[in-house]
Amino acid sequence: MTKKKGYNYGDCHVCGERMREQRVKQDFWVKEQLVVIEDVPAGVCPRCGERVVRAEIGLQLAALLKGSARLRQAQTMRVPVIRFEKAVA
């Protein structure tokens, strides 16, 4: 039995370090609503943190975000929102 080799993401275009595949959370803004998709396979740079996804994964993400019925059924979370104001010295 041969072990399936992971996708080769190549070197990071920012710093040149070798990318490694990880499962990440990816956030998107859709119609002024924050949507988080979990467990997305991505190439992640261990040095600078840059992330890339394969084209086929990008297409799957776009399809997930188009599925409004799926968005309505998704779990939700609350996040704090803070307005930036110039600090008074």
Side-chain angles (χ1 to χ4, degrees):
M1 179 184 262
T2 59
K3 183 179 177 186
K4 184 178 178 185
K5 190 173 181 180
Y7 182 79
N8 180 0
Y9 289 91
D11 296 334
C12 176
H13 69 277
V14 175
C15 72
E17 186 74 20
R18 191 73 170 162
M19 303 289 270
R20 298 181 187 152
E21 185 165 273
Q22 293 180 8
R23 297 291 178 143
V24 300
K25 291 181 182 176
Q26 185 66 51
D27 57 284
F28 300 90
W29 284 95
V30 179
K31 297 180 183 176
E32 298 185 21
Q33 181 180 20
L34 177 62
V35 177
V36 178
I37 300 179
E38 298 179 311
D39 207 27
V40 177
V44 180
C45 177
R47 182 185 297 164
C48 73
E50 182 69 10
R51 295 193 230 178
V52 296
V53 296
R54 300 187 317 251
E56 66 190 55
I57 300 299
L59 292 172
Q60 290 174 2
L61 291 170
L64 277 173
L65 293 169
K66 273 187 172 180
S68 60
R70 192 130 182 226
L71 283 175
R72 285 193 298 271
Q73 296 170 355
Q75 92 181 40
T76 60
M77 63 181 182
R78 293 178 47 154
V79 296
V81 177
I82 302 170
R83 181 179 300 279
F84 176 81
E85 294 179 4
K86 186 175 177 181
V88 179

